[in-house]
């Protein structure tokens, strides 16, 4: 999962993860739970407008993919594993060299941590932070420990039970469609390359400008 180039507040990102954690049901974050006047009259709070934003099967499959990044040896999110082997769904990230990020969830709680200067982005490269110098700083170095500390503390304090049954992928979303295009024969290749003035791929860009997760953690 790649964190894209469009700016988003940490609360917005936390809500994205919360939607995946809730079988695809999205609710607008509401800071107010209850408002009561000095005279005891209760004032109606805004509605969270909960609705099915994505199919449950898609949410479950995305959750499965995120967990695979945690449990797979050398996975992008291996460092996010929560205490007591609680099933963890998370992703670390680095936006260029100006933001260190980690977000994720368990079925009951979602959160997101961003480390950086949103008003005036500044490169973390070749910086010393807390007495440690790094040529390049990534999400797993600061954002991940902060995310894990919050999640572990909250889950323990609130006594949130473990739910290790979430994240069951639907087979139709795991199937990779096979290519229907037939491979060219050797004769067709040879015939295509016999033209003296033909440029056989000399100007072809074979993925040089393709972003293959460059905004994700590079570790």
């Amino acid at each position: 999962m790649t964190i894209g180039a469009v700016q988003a507040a940490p609360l917005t990102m936390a809500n994205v993860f919360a939607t995946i954690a809730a079988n695809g049901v999205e609710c607008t974050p509401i800071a107010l739970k209850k408002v009561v006047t000095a005279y005891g009259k209760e004032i109606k709070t805004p509605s969270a407008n909960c609705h099915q934003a994505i199919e449950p099967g898609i949410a479950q499959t995305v959750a499965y993919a995120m967990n695979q990044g945690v449990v797979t040896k050398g996975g992008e999110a291996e460092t996010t594993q929560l205490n007591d082997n609680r099933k963890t769904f998370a992703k670390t990230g680095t936006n260029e060299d100006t933001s260190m990020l980690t977000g994720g969830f368990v079925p009951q709680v979602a959160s997101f941590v961003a480390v950086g200067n949103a008003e005036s982005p500044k490169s973390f490269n070749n910086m010393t932070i807390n007495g440690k110098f790094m040529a390049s700083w990534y999400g797993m170095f600061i954002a991940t420990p902060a995310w894990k500390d919050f999640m572990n503390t909250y889950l323990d304090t609130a006594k949130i039970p473990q739910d290790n049954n979430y994240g069951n992928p639907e087979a139709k979303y795991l199937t990779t469609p096979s290519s229907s295009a037939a491979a060219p024969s050797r004769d067709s290749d040879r015939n295509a390359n016999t033209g003296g003035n033909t440029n056989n791929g000399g100007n072809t860009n074979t993925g040089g400008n393709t972003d293959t997760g460059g905004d994700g953690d590079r570790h």
Side-chain angles (χ1 to χ4, degrees):
M1 179 179 292
T2 302
I3 299 175
V6 177
Q7 291 189 357
L11 179 60
T12 300
M13 292 304 302
N15 197 39
V16 170
F17 287 115
T19 301
I20 300 171
N23 263 318
V25 175
E26 191 271 337
C27 299
T28 301
I30 301 296
L32 302 175
K33 184 176 181 180
K34 186 177 182 180
V35 178
V36 180
T37 69
Y39 301 100
K41 181 181 179 181
E42 187 171 331
I43 299 175
K44 184 179 180 180
T45 56
S47 170
N49 190 32
C50 296
H51 63 284
Q52 193 75 48
I54 57 177
E55 294 179 22
I58 293 177
Q60 289 277 345
T61 305
V62 171
Y64 166 80
M66 291 180 66
N67 177 252
Q68 289 301 298
V70 177
V71 300
T72 301
K73 188 67 176 177
E76 290 293 317
E78 184 181 15
T79 56
T80 64
Q81 177 62 56
L82 297 174
N83 290 348
D84 301 321
N85 205 33
R86 184 188 291 265
K87 194 170 184 179
T88 306
F89 309 86
K91 178 67 180 76
T92 64
T94 307
N95 180 32
E96 302 300 338
D97 56 1
T98 60
S99 297
M100 292 180 274
L101 315 163
T102 297
F105 63 90
V106 296
Q108 307 95 325
V109 181
S111 63
F112 187 85
V113 172
V115 180
N117 190 331
E119 295 182 350
S120 180
K122 182 179 180 180
S123 173
F124 283 110
N125 288 347
N126 300 309
M127 286 188 67
T128 298
I129 301 176
N130 291 336
K132 183 176 182 178
F133 172 83
M134 295 286 290
S136 299
W137 288 87
Y138 302 132
M140 66 176 181
F141 295 138
I142 296 181
T144 295
W147 182 83
K148 287 179 63 176
D149 185 58
F150 167 77
M151 290 291 287
N152 284 323
T153 300
Y154 182 85
L155 293 169
D156 183 59
T157 302
K159 302 186 185 307
I160 305 296
Q162 288 200 26
D163 179 358
N164 291 339
N165 296 319
Y166 196 77
N168 301 299
E170 286 197 10
K172 65 180 179 180
Y173 296 124
L174 295 178
T175 303
T176 302
S178 59
S179 175
S180 59
S185 66
R186 290 187 178 182
D187 286 342
S188 64
D189 279 348
R190 183 164 56 248
N191 292 336
N193 293 333
T194 55
N197 295 324
T198 301
N199 185 334
N200 295 309
N203 293 324
T204 301
N205 185 334
T206 57
N209 293 325
T210 301
D211 183 354
T212 57
D215 289 335
D217 256 11
R218 292 159 286 181
H219 61 82

